[in-house]
Amino acid sequence: MMEDKIREIVEAMGFSFSIGDIYHLNQWLQQPEQLPAVLYVMPINGGGEITVSGMLKKNIEPLLFFLDHEVIDPEGEDTNTIIERMRSAVEEFVVRVNDTRYFEPITAWSCHDVIRDMAIQCSGVSVSLNLKESIGKCV
């Protein structure tokens, strides 16, 4: 599965990894020892194409949240530090994805939202990527 390849990359970075809907992931985050974490939010977009050589290449567009634990700081200093660290983690993730050659190279991305959840005491960023298998399988 393509998600297993993402898990492998994320865990090699030292992050926990979980796949689920928003409710499931919110419950999972209630355990602070899970942080830092990358959450793969479902449902996702996906599809595929059959190349002229007869290879089936799947593609997915996951929504990933890069999150870390935050101690409540009224000044927001910790939040800014965590956000920048999670943006850097997204950059590292993209480099690692490209290095694995599991997927076609990612050439552009943007971190969408800054997440700050005081109930769970975590902050981070979200990113959606278009990941397309580089090899696929013969059909």
Side-chain angles (χ1 to χ4, degrees), residues 2-3 6 40 44-46 58-62 129-131:
M2 294 174 76
E3 292 84 3
I6 295 170
Y40 184 114
I44 55 154
N45 295 321
K58 296 180 189 174
N59 72 296
I60 56 173
E61 295 178 24
L129 301 167
N130 187 346
L131 300 175

Side-chain angles (χ1 to χ4, degrees), residues 12-52:
M13 292 173 59
F15 283 72
S16 298
F17 182 77
S18 187
I19 300 173
D21 60 23
I22 293 292
Y23 176 78
H24 164 258
L25 295 175
N26 194 30
Q27 294 300 314
W28 185 77
L29 278 173
Q30 297 298 322
Q31 305 164 44
E33 67 274 7
Q34 300 290 353
L35 297 170
V38 174
L39 308 180
Y40 184 114
V41 179
M42 297 179 76
I44 55 154
N45 295 321
E49 71 173 293
I50 298 177
T51 66
V52 292

Side-chain angles (χ1 to χ4, degrees), residues 26-131:
N26 194 30
Q27 294 300 314
W28 185 77
L29 278 173
Q30 297 298 322
Q31 305 164 44
E33 67 274 7
Q34 300 290 353
L35 297 170
V38 174
L39 308 180
Y40 184 114
V41 179
M42 297 179 76
I44 55 154
N45 295 321
E49 71 173 293
I50 298 177
T51 66
V52 292
S53 60
M55 299 296 287
L56 173 63
K57 290 180 159 185
K58 296 180 189 174
N59 72 296
I60 56 173
E61 295 178 24
L63 176 60
L64 303 171
F65 288 88
F66 286 72
L67 302 169
D68 202 357
H69 181 71
E70 176 183 3
V71 177
I72 297 174
D73 174 16
E75 304 298 321
E77 295 297 321
D78 285 344
T79 302
N80 293 337
T81 302
I82 293 167
I83 297 303
E84 287 309 312
R85 193 169 65 246
M86 294 301 100
R87 285 185 178 141
S88 293
V90 170
E91 293 167 5
E92 179 184 350
F93 175 77
V94 168
V95 169
R96 287 178 180 240
V97 166
N98 288 345
D99 285 347
T100 65
R101 300 180 190 232
Y102 292 150
F103 306 101
E104 291 184 1
I106 299 170
T107 57
W109 67 94
S110 62
C111 295
H112 299 291
D113 298 319
V114 170
I115 296 101
R116 188 168 192 217
D117 190 326
M118 298 319 298
I120 300 171
Q121 293 188 356
C122 69
S123 293
V125 296
S126 68
V127 63
S128 61
L129 301 167
N130 187 346
L131 300 175

